Each structure stands twice: as C-alpha cells, then as structure tokens.
Amino acid sequence: MILTYYCAVSMILIAYLLGSIPNAVWIGRKYYGIDIREHGSRNAGTTNMLRVLGRRAALPVFALDVLKGFVAVALLGLLKYDDNISDIWLINLKIIAVFAAVLGHIFPVFAHFKGGKGVATLVGAVLGIHPITVLLCFGIWFIVLMITHYVSLSSMIAGCCFPIFVLLSPKINHSVPLVVFSFVIAALLIWTHRKNIDRLKKGTESKIYIWRPVASRRRNDPDK
C-alpha cells in the first residue's frame, strides 16, 4: 500500500513538472529571440504567441501544451494495474493530475513561476479523462471564435459548456467527483480570465483573426 501511495504522489508531481514546461517561453527565445512574457498580453500561451508572432509560432505551442496536459493525465492510467486503486480512485487521481498540470502551466517552476492561463494544457489534460466532451467543447470554442474573434470569450463559453456536456453524458454523469470537477473547471476559467472580462466590458479586448496576416494583426492589437 505504501508503494501505491508513493507511485500516486510521484505521478502527481510529474504532472506538475510536465505542466511547468514553458513551451511558449522556450520557443520564443530559441527561434524568435524574445521572451513572449514581455510582449502583447504578457501571457506565455498560444493566444499571445498568435498575436505577437503569428500562426507558425502559435501552432506548435498549442500542440505541445495540449500534449503535455494529455501525457500528465494519461500516465495516471498506469495505476489501473494496481489492485489497491479502484476505478473511482483512478478518476479522482486523474482529476488531481489535471489541476497539477494546469497549476504547473500557470506557475511553471522552469520559468520563474510566471506562465500563462493554462487553457491549452487544460484541454489536453481533460482529453485524458473523457475525449468526447473535450471535442464538443472545442467545437463550441471554434464556433464562438469564428463569430466573435475573441479567444477569451470563446474559452470561457466552451469551459462553461463542459459541465453541461458532462451532465448530459450517461457514461460519466454518475461520477460525482467528475461532475464537481467540471463545474470547478468552468469557475477556474472564469477566474483566470477576469482581466479579459473587464476588457470585454470596456470594449478594449483584442480580437484574433486567424486567417489575417501577422502584420495586420499587430496593427489592430491595442496591446502592441
């Protein structure tokens, strides 16, 4: 049983360390010679990379952030071979790993605890628990983005749809921890985007036009 606790705690710690990998910071420094946290919205994430450096920089950051979140949670699946871990506890540990990975992205140990909002990492992490609900939320996110061009608004709406999709899914809506988790995630997304909410109210939030050239985006970005 002690070995079980040791493995579980170790994997949660690994989830945090994986979440702490600052892909936006490292890619910005290595290939563009800048610290992305000193430009645009000063967040080390996909949206700011898209605003400042364009699609070529943003896409690998998004993919790697999703991947680290997914791996952080998927590793917990190895505990299913431990007879001391029930299915319910496996879900609970995966939920803890989601928070650990996102916390790592927001407060990365490898980047002086100054990271991003963790949306892409959250997407990857939840993908490791229930892919269908994540894909549905991504569809909502994309539709809202195409209509409004606000990434922040798209992320908040998609996040708020997550608990709805969980409650509507007969395969997972019986899991109380997962239902509670889905509402916590929605609340967390609202909290991490509180500054964006203020800018949306004031009409000063930056819009993202995915197909617009980088130079054009910069001219229309009030943070630049």
Side-chain angles (χ1 to χ4, degrees), residues 190-220:
I190 297 297
W191 182 78
T192 57
H193 286 83
R194 58 195 184 282
K195 291 182 180 179
N196 302 85
I197 294 174
D198 289 337
R199 289 196 292 267
L200 285 167
K201 290 178 179 178
K202 296 176 182 177
T204 58
E205 178 73 334
S206 300
K207 289 188 175 184
I208 292 292
Y209 297 89
I210 295 179
W211 313 119
R212 181 179 294 182
V214 178
S216 178
R217 279 198 300 271
R218 287 178 177 173
R219 287 195 300 268
N220 288 275

PDB file of all heavy atoms in Angstrom, residues 190-220:
ATOM      1  N   ILE A 190     -13.268  31.106 -15.658  1.00  0.00           N
ATOM      2  CA  ILE A 190     -13.803  32.456 -15.454  1.00  0.00           C
ATOM      3  C   ILE A 190     -12.824  33.274 -14.613  1.00  0.00           C
ATOM      4  O   ILE A 190     -12.550  34.443 -14.905  1.00  0.00           O
ATOM      5  CB  ILE A 190     -15.184  32.399 -14.764  1.00  0.00           C
ATOM      6  CG1 ILE A 190     -16.208  31.678 -15.656  1.00  0.00           C
ATOM      7  CG2 ILE A 190     -15.658  33.822 -14.445  1.00  0.00           C
ATOM      8  CD1 ILE A 190     -16.493  32.368 -16.965  1.00  0.00           C
ATOM      9  N   TRP A 191     -12.286  32.654 -13.572  1.00  0.00           N
ATOM     10  CA  TRP A 191     -11.367  33.364 -12.671  1.00  0.00           C
ATOM     11  C   TRP A 191     -10.085  33.771 -13.381  1.00  0.00           C
ATOM     12  O   TRP A 191      -9.615  34.905 -13.230  1.00  0.00           O
ATOM     13  CB  TRP A 191     -11.037  32.488 -11.467  1.00  0.00           C
ATOM     14  CG  TRP A 191     -10.138  33.173 -10.481  1.00  0.00           C
ATOM     15  CD1 TRP A 191     -10.489  34.123  -9.554  1.00  0.00           C
ATOM     16  CD2 TRP A 191      -8.732  32.984 -10.335  1.00  0.00           C
ATOM     17  NE1 TRP A 191      -9.383  34.524  -8.839  1.00  0.00           N
ATOM     18  CE2 TRP A 191      -8.286  33.844  -9.294  1.00  0.00           C
ATOM     19  CE3 TRP A 191      -7.802  32.162 -10.974  1.00  0.00           C
ATOM     20  CZ2 TRP A 191      -6.955  33.891  -8.895  1.00  0.00           C
ATOM     21  CZ3 TRP A 191      -6.474  32.216 -10.572  1.00  0.00           C
ATOM     22  CH2 TRP A 191      -6.066  33.077  -9.544  1.00  0.00           C
ATOM     23  N   THR A 192      -9.502  32.871 -14.157  1.00  0.00           N
ATOM     24  CA  THR A 192      -8.245  33.189 -14.844  1.00  0.00           C
ATOM     25  C   THR A 192      -8.444  34.211 -15.966  1.00  0.00           C
ATOM     26  O   THR A 192      -7.471  34.807 -16.423  1.00  0.00           O
ATOM     27  CB  THR A 192      -7.594  31.921 -15.424  1.00  0.00           C
ATOM     28  OG1 THR A 192      -8.510  31.267 -16.321  1.00  0.00           O
ATOM     29  CG2 THR A 192      -7.193  30.964 -14.320  1.00  0.00           C
ATOM     30  N   HIS A 193      -9.684  34.409 -16.398  1.00  0.00           N
ATOM     31  CA  HIS A 193      -9.957  35.376 -17.460  1.00  0.00           C
ATOM     32  C   HIS A 193     -10.639  36.637 -16.928  1.00  0.00           C
ATOM     33  O   HIS A 193     -11.248  37.384 -17.694  1.00  0.00           O
ATOM     34  CB  HIS A 193     -10.845  34.741 -18.546  1.00  0.00           C
ATOM     35  CG  HIS A 193     -10.132  33.761 -19.421  1.00  0.00           C
ATOM     36  ND1 HIS A 193      -9.925  32.454 -19.065  1.00  0.00           N
ATOM     37  CD2 HIS A 193      -9.559  33.918 -20.652  1.00  0.00           C
ATOM     38  CE1 HIS A 193      -9.274  31.833 -20.034  1.00  0.00           C
ATOM     39  NE2 HIS A 193      -9.036  32.687 -20.999  1.00  0.00           N
ATOM     40  N   ARG A 194     -10.501  36.897 -15.620  1.00  0.00           N
ATOM     41  CA  ARG A 194     -11.202  38.049 -15.040  1.00  0.00           C
ATOM     42  C   ARG A 194     -10.747  39.372 -15.649  1.00  0.00           C
ATOM     43  O   ARG A 194     -11.559  40.298 -15.829  1.00  0.00           O
ATOM     44  CB  ARG A 194     -11.036  38.055 -13.520  1.00  0.00           C
ATOM     45  CG  ARG A 194      -9.611  38.095 -13.023  1.00  0.00           C
ATOM     46  CD  ARG A 194      -9.534  37.740 -11.533  1.00  0.00           C
ATOM     47  NE  ARG A 194      -8.193  37.851 -10.984  1.00  0.00           N
ATOM     48  CZ  ARG A 194      -7.244  36.941 -11.171  1.00  0.00           C
ATOM     49  NH1 ARG A 194      -7.512  35.856 -11.896  1.00  0.00           N
ATOM     50  NH2 ARG A 194      -6.047  37.102 -10.646  1.00  0.00           N
ATOM     51  N   LYS A 195      -9.457  39.485 -15.992  1.00  0.00           N
ATOM     52  CA  LYS A 195      -8.973  40.711 -16.630  1.00  0.00           C
ATOM     53  C   LYS A 195      -9.541  40.844 -18.036  1.00  0.00           C
ATOM     54  O   LYS A 195      -9.849  41.945 -18.494  1.00  0.00           O
ATOM     55  CB  LYS A 195      -7.446  40.724 -16.671  1.00  0.00           C
ATOM     56  CG  LYS A 195      -6.800  40.868 -15.296  1.00  0.00           C
ATOM     57  CD  LYS A 195      -5.286  40.932 -15.408  1.00  0.00           C
ATOM     58  CE  LYS A 195      -4.647  41.080 -14.032  1.00  0.00           C
ATOM     59  NZ  LYS A 195      -3.153  41.119 -14.123  1.00  0.00           N
ATOM     60  N   ASN A 196      -9.689  39.698 -18.713  1.00  0.00           N
ATOM     61  CA  ASN A 196     -10.283  39.718 -20.046  1.00  0.00           C
ATOM     62  C   ASN A 196     -11.742  40.147 -19.987  1.00  0.00           C
ATOM     63  O   ASN A 196     -12.236  40.846 -20.875  1.00  0.00           O
ATOM     64  CB  ASN A 196     -10.183  38.336 -20.698  1.00  0.00           C
ATOM     65  CG  ASN A 196      -8.756  37.843 -20.807  1.00  0.00           C
ATOM     66  OD1 ASN A 196      -8.231  37.266 -19.867  1.00  0.00           O
ATOM     67  ND2 ASN A 196      -8.121  38.072 -21.945  1.00  0.00           N
ATOM     68  N   ILE A 197     -12.428  39.731 -18.926  1.00  0.00           N
ATOM     69  CA  ILE A 197     -13.828  40.121 -18.755  1.00  0.00           C
ATOM     70  C   ILE A 197     -13.938  41.634 -18.624  1.00  0.00           C
ATOM     71  O   ILE A 197     -14.823  42.264 -19.219  1.00  0.00           O
ATOM     72  CB  ILE A 197     -14.439  39.413 -17.525  1.00  0.00           C
ATOM     73  CG1 ILE A 197     -14.519  37.910 -17.765  1.00  0.00           C
ATOM     74  CG2 ILE A 197     -15.831  39.975 -17.226  1.00  0.00           C
ATOM     75  CD1 ILE A 197     -14.973  37.113 -16.553  1.00  0.00           C
ATOM     76  N   ASP A 198     -13.031  42.239 -17.853  1.00  0.00           N
ATOM     77  CA  ASP A 198     -13.023  43.695 -17.712  1.00  0.00           C
ATOM     78  C   ASP A 198     -12.798  44.374 -19.058  1.00  0.00           C
ATOM     79  O   ASP A 198     -13.461  45.372 -19.380  1.00  0.00           O
ATOM     80  CB  ASP A 198     -11.922  44.126 -16.728  1.00  0.00           C
ATOM     81  CG  ASP A 198     -12.259  43.755 -15.292  1.00  0.00           C
ATOM     82  OD1 ASP A 198     -13.454  43.591 -15.000  1.00  0.00           O
ATOM     83  OD2 ASP A 198     -11.318  43.620 -14.474  1.00  0.00           O
ATOM     84  N   ARG A 199     -11.855  43.832 -19.849  1.00  0.00           N
ATOM     85  CA  ARG A 199     -11.577  44.426 -21.158  1.00  0.00           C
ATOM     86  C   ARG A 199     -12.744  44.222 -22.116  1.00  0.00           C
ATOM     87  O   ARG A 199     -13.027  45.092 -22.947  1.00  0.00           O
ATOM     88  CB  ARG A 199     -10.290  43.841 -21.742  1.00  0.00           C
ATOM     89  CG  ARG A 199      -9.024  44.304 -21.023  1.00  0.00           C
ATOM     90  CD  ARG A 199      -7.787  44.022 -21.846  1.00  0.00           C
ATOM     91  NE  ARG A 199      -7.522  42.602 -21.970  1.00  0.00           N
ATOM     92  CZ  ARG A 199      -6.723  41.914 -21.162  1.00  0.00           C
ATOM     93  NH1 ARG A 199      -6.129  42.530 -20.146  1.00  0.00           N
ATOM     94  NH2 ARG A 199      -6.501  40.631 -21.358  1.00  0.00           N
ATOM     95  N   LEU A 200     -13.426  43.090 -22.007  1.00  0.00           N
ATOM     96  CA  LEU A 200     -14.608  42.847 -22.852  1.00  0.00           C
ATOM     97  C   LEU A 200     -15.704  43.860 -22.526  1.00  0.00           C
ATOM     98  O   LEU A 200     -16.377  44.376 -23.422  1.00  0.00           O
ATOM     99  CB  LEU A 200     -15.126  41.422 -22.647  1.00  0.00           C
ATOM    100  CG  LEU A 200     -14.317  40.296 -23.305  1.00  0.00           C
ATOM    101  CD1 LEU A 200     -14.756  38.937 -22.766  1.00  0.00           C
ATOM    102  CD2 LEU A 200     -14.476  40.336 -24.823  1.00  0.00           C
ATOM    103  N   LYS A 201     -15.873  44.157 -21.226  1.00  0.00           N
ATOM    104  CA  LYS A 201     -16.879  45.142 -20.815  1.00  0.00           C
ATOM    105  C   LYS A 201     -16.548  46.536 -21.346  1.00  0.00           C
ATOM    106  O   LYS A 201     -17.431  47.302 -21.724  1.00  0.00           O
ATOM    107  CB  LYS A 201     -16.991  45.169 -19.288  1.00  0.00           C
ATOM    108  CG  LYS A 201     -17.615  43.926 -18.676  1.00  0.00           C
ATOM    109  CD  LYS A 201     -17.642  44.036 -17.159  1.00  0.00           C
ATOM    110  CE  LYS A 201     -18.281  42.821 -16.521  1.00  0.00           C
ATOM    111  NZ  LYS A 201     -18.275  42.913 -15.028  1.00  0.00           N
ATOM    112  N   LYS A 202     -15.249  46.850 -21.345  1.00  0.00           N
ATOM    113  CA  LYS A 202     -14.797  48.174 -21.791  1.00  0.00           C
ATOM    114  C   LYS A 202     -14.657  48.263 -23.309  1.00  0.00           C
ATOM    115  O   LYS A 202     -14.449  49.357 -23.845  1.00  0.00           O
ATOM    116  CB  LYS A 202     -13.464  48.512 -21.134  1.00  0.00           C
ATOM    117  CG  LYS A 202     -13.539  48.639 -19.617  1.00  0.00           C
ATOM    118  CD  LYS A 202     -12.160  48.869 -19.018  1.00  0.00           C
ATOM    119  CE  LYS A 202     -12.213  48.940 -17.495  1.00  0.00           C
ATOM    120  NZ  LYS A 202     -10.850  49.086 -16.902  1.00  0.00           N
ATOM    121  N   GLY A 203     -14.738  47.111 -23.977  1.00  0.00           N
ATOM    122  CA  GLY A 203     -14.583  47.096 -25.428  1.00  0.00           C
ATOM    123  C   GLY A 203     -13.143  47.220 -25.878  1.00  0.00           C
ATOM    124  O   GLY A 203     -12.877  47.607 -27.027  1.00  0.00           O
ATOM    125  N   THR A 204     -12.186  46.896 -24.993  1.00  0.00           N
ATOM    126  CA  THR A 204     -10.768  47.032 -25.324  1.00  0.00           C
ATOM    127  C   THR A 204     -10.075  45.675 -25.497  1.00  0.00           C
ATOM    128  O   THR A 204      -8.864  45.631 -25.695  1.00  0.00           O
ATOM    129  CB  THR A 204     -10.028  47.812 -24.224  1.00  0.00           C
ATOM    130  OG1 THR A 204     -10.184  47.140 -22.967  1.00  0.00           O
ATOM    131  CG2 THR A 204     -10.579  49.233 -24.114  1.00  0.00           C
ATOM    132  N   GLU A 205     -10.825  44.596 -25.415  1.00  0.00           N
ATOM    133  CA  GLU A 205     -10.230  43.266 -25.592  1.00  0.00           C
ATOM    134  C   GLU A 205      -9.773  43.066 -27.038  1.00  0.00           C
ATOM    135  O   GLU A 205     -10.468  43.447 -27.981  1.00  0.00           O
ATOM    136  CB  GLU A 205     -11.244  42.177 -25.215  1.00  0.00           C
ATOM    137  CG  GLU A 205     -10.761  40.750 -25.411  1.00  0.00           C
ATOM    138  CD  GLU A 205      -9.746  40.319 -24.376  1.00  0.00           C
ATOM    139  OE1 GLU A 205      -9.044  41.193 -23.822  1.00  0.00           O
ATOM    140  OE2 GLU A 205      -9.630  39.099 -24.128  1.00  0.00           O
ATOM    141  N   SER A 206      -8.594  42.501 -27.196  1.00  0.00           N
ATOM    142  CA  SER A 206      -8.046  42.274 -28.531  1.00  0.00           C
ATOM    143  C   SER A 206      -8.798  41.158 -29.251  1.00  0.00           C
ATOM    144  O   SER A 206      -9.151  40.145 -28.644  1.00  0.00           O
ATOM    145  CB  SER A 206      -6.562  41.901 -28.438  1.00  0.00           C
ATOM    146  OG  SER A 206      -5.831  42.931 -27.820  1.00  0.00           O
ATOM    147  N   LYS A 207      -9.014  41.352 -30.533  1.00  0.00           N
ATOM    148  CA  LYS A 207      -9.634  40.318 -31.354  1.00  0.00           C
ATOM    149  C   LYS A 207      -8.557  39.536 -32.098  1.00  0.00           C
ATOM    150  O   LYS A 207      -7.481  40.045 -32.370  1.00  0.00           O
ATOM    151  CB  LYS A 207     -10.610  40.939 -32.362  1.00  0.00           C
ATOM    152  CG  LYS A 207     -11.886  41.490 -31.738  1.00  0.00           C
ATOM    153  CD  LYS A 207     -12.881  41.900 -32.814  1.00  0.00           C
ATOM    154  CE  LYS A 207     -14.210  42.349 -32.192  1.00  0.00           C
ATOM    155  NZ  LYS A 207     -15.228  42.666 -33.220  1.00  0.00           N
ATOM    156  N   ILE A 208      -8.874  38.291 -32.401  1.00  0.00           N
ATOM    157  CA  ILE A 208      -7.963  37.432 -33.145  1.00  0.00           C
ATOM    158  C   ILE A 208      -8.622  37.027 -34.451  1.00  0.00           C
ATOM    159  O   ILE A 208      -9.729  36.493 -34.455  1.00  0.00           O
ATOM    160  CB  ILE A 208      -7.614  36.162 -32.334  1.00  0.00           C
ATOM    161  CG1 ILE A 208      -6.766  36.531 -31.128  1.00  0.00           C
ATOM    162  CG2 ILE A 208      -6.878  35.162 -33.212  1.00  0.00           C
ATOM    163  CD1 ILE A 208      -5.379  37.027 -31.465  1.00  0.00           C
ATOM    164  N   TYR A 209      -7.940  37.320 -35.543  1.00  0.00           N
ATOM    165  CA  TYR A 209      -8.404  36.905 -36.870  1.00  0.00           C
ATOM    166  C   TYR A 209      -7.409  35.868 -37.373  1.00  0.00           C
ATOM    167  O   TYR A 209      -6.299  36.202 -37.799  1.00  0.00           O
ATOM    168  CB  TYR A 209      -8.475  38.099 -37.812  1.00  0.00           C
ATOM    169  CG  TYR A 209      -9.476  39.149 -37.373  1.00  0.00           C
ATOM    170  CD1 TYR A 209      -9.105  40.179 -36.509  1.00  0.00           C
ATOM    171  CD2 TYR A 209     -10.799  39.094 -37.800  1.00  0.00           C
ATOM    172  CE1 TYR A 209     -10.022  41.130 -36.088  1.00  0.00           C
ATOM    173  CE2 TYR A 209     -11.726  40.049 -37.386  1.00  0.00           C
ATOM    174  CZ  TYR A 209     -11.328  41.067 -36.532  1.00  0.00           C
ATOM    175  OH  TYR A 209     -12.235  42.013 -36.117  1.00  0.00           O
ATOM    176  N   ILE A 210      -7.789  34.603 -37.275  1.00  0.00           N
ATOM    177  CA  ILE A 210      -6.862  33.506 -37.547  1.00  0.00           C
ATOM    178  C   ILE A 210      -6.252  33.571 -38.933  1.00  0.00           C
ATOM    179  O   ILE A 210      -5.072  33.283 -39.121  1.00  0.00           O
ATOM    180  CB  ILE A 210      -7.584  32.151 -37.361  1.00  0.00           C
ATOM    181  CG1 ILE A 210      -7.989  31.985 -35.889  1.00  0.00           C
ATOM    182  CG2 ILE A 210      -6.681  30.996 -37.783  1.00  0.00           C
ATOM    183  CD1 ILE A 210      -8.718  30.708 -35.598  1.00  0.00           C
ATOM    184  N   TRP A 211      -7.021  33.991 -39.909  1.00  0.00           N
ATOM    185  CA  TRP A 211      -6.525  33.962 -41.282  1.00  0.00           C
ATOM    186  C   TRP A 211      -5.913  35.282 -41.706  1.00  0.00           C
ATOM    187  O   TRP A 211      -5.515  35.443 -42.836  1.00  0.00           O
ATOM    188  CB  TRP A 211      -7.653  33.591 -42.244  1.00  0.00           C
ATOM    189  CG  TRP A 211      -8.437  32.404 -41.778  1.00  0.00           C
ATOM    190  CD1 TRP A 211      -9.762  32.371 -41.477  1.00  0.00           C
ATOM    191  CD2 TRP A 211      -7.943  31.084 -41.528  1.00  0.00           C
ATOM    192  NE1 TRP A 211     -10.130  31.115 -41.049  1.00  0.00           N
ATOM    193  CE2 TRP A 211      -9.038  30.310 -41.074  1.00  0.00           C
ATOM    194  CE3 TRP A 211      -6.674  30.487 -41.622  1.00  0.00           C
ATOM    195  CZ2 TRP A 211      -8.914  28.974 -40.743  1.00  0.00           C
ATOM    196  CZ3 TRP A 211      -6.551  29.142 -41.279  1.00  0.00           C
ATOM    197  CH2 TRP A 211      -7.651  28.411 -40.856  1.00  0.00           C
ATOM    198  N   ARG A 212      -5.835  36.245 -40.790  1.00  0.00           N
ATOM    199  CA  ARG A 212      -5.260  37.541 -41.150  1.00  0.00           C
ATOM    200  C   ARG A 212      -3.746  37.501 -40.996  1.00  0.00           C
ATOM    201  O   ARG A 212      -3.233  36.904 -40.049  1.00  0.00           O
ATOM    202  CB  ARG A 212      -5.843  38.643 -40.253  1.00  0.00           C
ATOM    203  CG  ARG A 212      -5.321  40.031 -40.569  1.00  0.00           C
ATOM    204  CD  ARG A 212      -5.955  41.074 -39.665  1.00  0.00           C
ATOM    205  NE  ARG A 212      -7.389  41.201 -39.914  1.00  0.00           N
ATOM    206  CZ  ARG A 212      -8.159  42.074 -39.276  1.00  0.00           C
ATOM    207  NH1 ARG A 212      -7.645  42.864 -38.353  1.00  0.00           N
ATOM    208  NH2 ARG A 212      -9.435  42.133 -39.558  1.00  0.00           N
ATOM    209  N   PRO A 213      -2.992  38.127 -41.883  1.00  0.00           N
ATOM    210  CA  PRO A 213      -1.539  38.152 -41.772  1.00  0.00           C
ATOM    211  C   PRO A 213      -1.082  38.768 -40.459  1.00  0.00           C
ATOM    212  O   PRO A 213      -1.793  39.560 -39.846  1.00  0.00           O
ATOM    213  CB  PRO A 213      -1.104  39.036 -42.961  1.00  0.00           C
ATOM    214  CG  PRO A 213      -2.234  38.920 -43.934  1.00  0.00           C
ATOM    215  CD  PRO A 213      -3.475  38.792 -43.107  1.00  0.00           C
ATOM    216  N   VAL A 214       0.126  38.397 -40.005  1.00  0.00           N
ATOM    217  CA  VAL A 214       0.651  38.852 -38.725  1.00  0.00           C
ATOM    218  C   VAL A 214       0.716  40.369 -38.642  1.00  0.00           C
ATOM    219  O   VAL A 214       0.326  40.979 -37.657  1.00  0.00           O
ATOM    220  CB  VAL A 214       2.075  38.276 -38.494  1.00  0.00           C
ATOM    221  CG1 VAL A 214       2.632  38.790 -37.175  1.00  0.00           C
ATOM    222  CG2 VAL A 214       2.041  36.762 -38.499  1.00  0.00           C
ATOM    223  N   ALA A 215       1.209  41.018 -39.695  1.00  0.00           N
ATOM    224  CA  ALA A 215       1.349  42.475 -39.682  1.00  0.00           C
ATOM    225  C   ALA A 215       0.017  43.158 -39.463  1.00  0.00           C
ATOM    226  O   ALA A 215      -0.102  44.136 -38.731  1.00  0.00           O
ATOM    227  CB  ALA A 215       1.970  42.951 -40.992  1.00  0.00           C
ATOM    228  N   SER A 216      -1.030  42.604 -40.074  1.00  0.00           N
ATOM    229  CA  SER A 216      -2.360  43.184 -39.924  1.00  0.00           C
ATOM    230  C   SER A 216      -2.868  43.002 -38.502  1.00  0.00           C
ATOM    231  O   SER A 216      -3.502  43.876 -37.935  1.00  0.00           O
ATOM    232  CB  SER A 216      -3.333  42.520 -40.918  1.00  0.00           C
ATOM    233  OG  SER A 216      -4.628  43.029 -40.766  1.00  0.00           O
ATOM    234  N   ARG A 217      -2.555  41.842 -37.896  1.00  0.00           N
ATOM    235  CA  ARG A 217      -2.993  41.607 -36.519  1.00  0.00           C
ATOM    236  C   ARG A 217      -2.330  42.588 -35.571  1.00  0.00           C
ATOM    237  O   ARG A 217      -2.927  43.085 -34.640  1.00  0.00           O
ATOM    238  CB  ARG A 217      -2.664  40.162 -36.102  1.00  0.00           C
ATOM    239  CG  ARG A 217      -3.660  39.146 -36.591  1.00  0.00           C
ATOM    240  CD  ARG A 217      -3.508  37.857 -35.792  1.00  0.00           C
ATOM    241  NE  ARG A 217      -2.182  37.283 -35.921  1.00  0.00           N
ATOM    242  CZ  ARG A 217      -1.840  36.424 -36.875  1.00  0.00           C
ATOM    243  NH1 ARG A 217      -2.711  36.060 -37.784  1.00  0.00           N
ATOM    244  NH2 ARG A 217      -0.617  35.916 -36.924  1.00  0.00           N
ATOM    245  N   ARG A 218      -1.055  42.863 -35.824  1.00  0.00           N
ATOM    246  CA  ARG A 218      -0.339  43.764 -34.933  1.00  0.00           C
ATOM    247  C   ARG A 218      -0.874  45.178 -34.986  1.00  0.00           C
ATOM    248  O   ARG A 218      -0.928  45.887 -33.996  1.00  0.00           O
ATOM    249  CB  ARG A 218       1.159  43.760 -35.307  1.00  0.00           C
ATOM    250  CG  ARG A 218       1.867  42.474 -34.891  1.00  0.00           C
ATOM    251  CD  ARG A 218       3.313  42.510 -35.332  1.00  0.00           C
ATOM    252  NE  ARG A 218       3.991  41.305 -34.859  1.00  0.00           N
ATOM    253  CZ  ARG A 218       5.239  40.976 -35.189  1.00  0.00           C
ATOM    254  NH1 ARG A 218       5.936  41.781 -35.983  1.00  0.00           N
ATOM    255  NH2 ARG A 218       5.804  39.872 -34.742  1.00  0.00           N
ATOM    256  N   ARG A 219      -1.303  45.611 -36.169  1.00  0.00           N
ATOM    257  CA  ARG A 219      -1.849  46.959 -36.291  1.00  0.00           C
ATOM    258  C   ARG A 219      -3.163  47.076 -35.532  1.00  0.00           C
ATOM    259  O   ARG A 219      -3.546  48.165 -35.096  1.00  0.00           O
ATOM    260  CB  ARG A 219      -2.067  47.319 -37.776  1.00  0.00           C
ATOM    261  CG  ARG A 219      -0.773  47.599 -38.535  1.00  0.00           C
ATOM    262  CD  ARG A 219      -1.101  48.280 -39.847  1.00  0.00           C
ATOM    263  NE  ARG A 219      -1.954  47.462 -40.690  1.00  0.00           N
ATOM    264  CZ  ARG A 219      -1.465  46.612 -41.609  1.00  0.00           C
ATOM    265  NH1 ARG A 219      -0.160  46.408 -41.726  1.00  0.00           N
ATOM    266  NH2 ARG A 219      -2.280  45.902 -42.342  1.00  0.00           N
ATOM    267  N   ASN A 220      -3.865  45.951 -35.374  1.00  0.00           N
ATOM    268  CA  ASN A 220      -5.175  46.010 -34.730  1.00  0.00           C
ATOM    269  C   ASN A 220      -5.129  45.509 -33.287  1.00  0.00           C
ATOM    270  O   ASN A 220      -6.169  45.329 -32.670  1.00  0.00           O
ATOM    271  CB  ASN A 220      -6.177  45.132 -35.519  1.00  0.00           C
ATOM    272  CG  ASN A 220      -6.546  45.775 -36.844  1.00  0.00           C
ATOM    273  OD1 ASN A 220      -7.447  46.602 -36.919  1.00  0.00           O
ATOM    274  ND2 ASN A 220      -5.829  45.388 -37.905  1.00  0.00           N
TER     275      ASN A 220
END
